Amino acid sequence: DVFERYIHFIDRRIARLTTARIFLATDSERLRSMLVARYGDRVIDRNMVRLTGDTEHIGLHYLQHAGLDKAQIGRDVLIDALLLARCDELVHGFSNVAFAALHMHPDMPHINVDVACGWVTDSTVPSPVGEALKHLTRPLGRIRELFL
């Protein structure tokens, strides 16, 4: 299970950072449930729309649902990226949200689980968000201060 690999890397960091908290930015309710069951109140997350069951493979941004507020999803993604950029370390996969956070905090220690597990061979695959953010670093810094 791919989520077990994330837990493996989180466990390695938690072992040396005994008071660390985990900010969770995911669209997967299953992953959220797994991490809350394992780490309890060390997990910090935001109340937002998450994928469940048969929708997990679709991706939240592709989901078609009558009551889904796409503007709110966009706000949630931006806020999560800004909060991730303030973290001390990042455990992530190939995610434009994670890549955006890394562009805002380029010196943040991080591990790309997809690369570490050999599921992909190159962690420098261009991210459309990342490429755009290279040109917007200054304005995003100001936005981050407004949100936080």
Side-chain angles (χ1 to χ4, degrees), residues 46-49 69-79:
R46 299 178 56 250
N47 184 19
M48 55 191 292
V49 175
D69 183 347
K70 298 277 184 148
Q72 183 59 50
I73 291 170
R75 287 188 292 274
D76 288 338
V77 167
L78 176 59
I79 291 168

Side-chain angles (χ1 to χ4, degrees), residues 102-116:
L102 289 168
H103 279 280
M104 289 183 268
H105 185 173
D107 298 326
M108 180 178 4
H110 69 100
I111 184 158
N112 185 325
V113 174
D114 296 330
V115 173

